[in-house]
Amino acid sequence: MLANLPGGAAFPIRPNAAAAPASGIVEVFDYGRNRPGLLPLWVGEGDRPTPPFIAEAALASLRDGETFYTYQAGLPSLRAAIAEYLSRLYAVPVADERIYVTGGGMHALQIAVTLTAGAGDEVIIPTPAWPNFVGAVTVSGAVPREVAMRFGPGGFAPDLEALAAAVTPRTRAVVVNSPSNPTGWVATPADLAAILDLARRHGLWIIADEIYGRFVYDGVRAPSFRDVMAAEDCILFVQTLSKNWAMTGWRVGWIEAPPVLGPTIVNLIQYSSSGTAVFLQRAAEAAIRGGESFIAEQLARARENRAILLDAFSRENRLRFAPPDGAFYLFFGVEGIADSRALAFRIIDEANVGLAPGTAFGAAGQGAFRLCYLRGTADIAEAAGHLVDVVRRL
Ligand SMILES: Cc1ncc(COP(=O)(O)O)c(C=O)c1O
């Protein structure tokens, strides 16, 4: 395939690379990014920088001269810290040999997809979903099969019949992101058991993205595949330091996999990033070992902002939403508005608030908006007021 690049020159690149979808947020972002005072609620991160004790660990590592190549699988001490953290949180033993450190959750996802699906294969993705699932699957050469979730009075829920109907002889994996970006859906143990049952019956992998598992508004953590799985189940967990510890810019995460895949994963890391920088891993270890009170603060903030938004939005009956059970996004629609892209531009002009249009998360997001509320409470209260005003004027 010849891809036409700016300037009229044609360069032959692989069709899968050329087919990588553009982000559905960029256009709106470019329109509003330089507006003075704009509240940027379109991104998937909070406004607080990484806590100093984490940054200090990275600085100390650099000062100590830890600037050399390192273990592809990750520093043994970080793998141990992650395994201990998971064992404590989920009250099940997790072995260090299950953990492989990656360049963020995205790299973990890329490895998960590379392990499971390629040209001619299909991967099922319940939507609305974080767009990088479709992106990673597309780049791998496999075909993403979007399956819309059901929206009812209780919010989004997986459509188990539609998921089962989407399985073909070419299906290799199903992606399950709970708590969900963008919808805030949190899978029940019964949902997870049903999806696991489907995967077992058809010999599919589950790519479990549970990165928002600490951000729940009922209980201490979200239900996990860990609660329903057996050791022999084909499940790959994608994880990241980005959200819990305010480290989106650091690019550290991990993939958790059956230990027998270790040598293969080490090779895939070797031929992509060749390992994560040691100073970043030292910071990650500090975060995981000492970051519980920071997570509690983040959660308290998200909880307060969620309450502010739900209160403001429930006063305007054209706003359609279900309270998110997890993550830190409100996914909402406006009655009578089918084109959220056009309204996202108008909201920038009239409310000075940046929202992600729902279409960025798949066709099932048509007409909706995603608002990230992990920010200062005053910002969220102000944004909620402006948004309600815009909707009243529509
Ligand atoms: C559902 C989900 N998974 C994975 C990631 C990856 O995070 P990162 O690559 O920053 O570690 C994100 C980031 O927004 C996400 O929302």
Side-chain angles (χ1 to χ4, degrees), residues 44 103-107 130 133 177 179 181 209 211-212 238-243 248 251-253 329 370:
M106 183 57 225
H107 186 209
W130 182 48
F133 297 132
N177 171 219
N181 169 12
D209 180 331
I211 74 159
Y212 296 99
V238 166
Q239 265 295 355
T240 179
L241 275 284
S242 287
K243 317 284 170 162
T248 48
R251 319 306 311 134
V252 189
Y329 306 103
R370 186 194 72 176

Side-chain angles (χ1 to χ4, degrees), residues 198-260:
L198 180 73
R200 283 176 179 164
R201 276 188 282 124
H202 295 279
L204 309 181
W205 278 93
I206 290 175
I207 299 178
D209 180 331
E210 300 185 352
I211 74 159
Y212 296 99
R214 302 298 301 275
F215 285 91
V216 284
Y217 303 101
D218 182 21
V220 289
R221 55 120 176 132
S224 163
F225 274 108
R226 237 175 270 283
D227 303 327
V228 295
M229 71 185 279
E232 64 278 11
D233 280 317
C234 294
I235 302 185
L236 298 166
F237 291 90
V238 166
Q239 265 295 355
T240 179
L241 275 284
S242 287
K243 317 284 170 162
N244 289 349
W245 297 279
M247 293 176 72
T248 48
W250 293 70
R251 319 306 311 134
V252 189
W254 71 87
I255 181 168
E256 182 188 333
V260 68

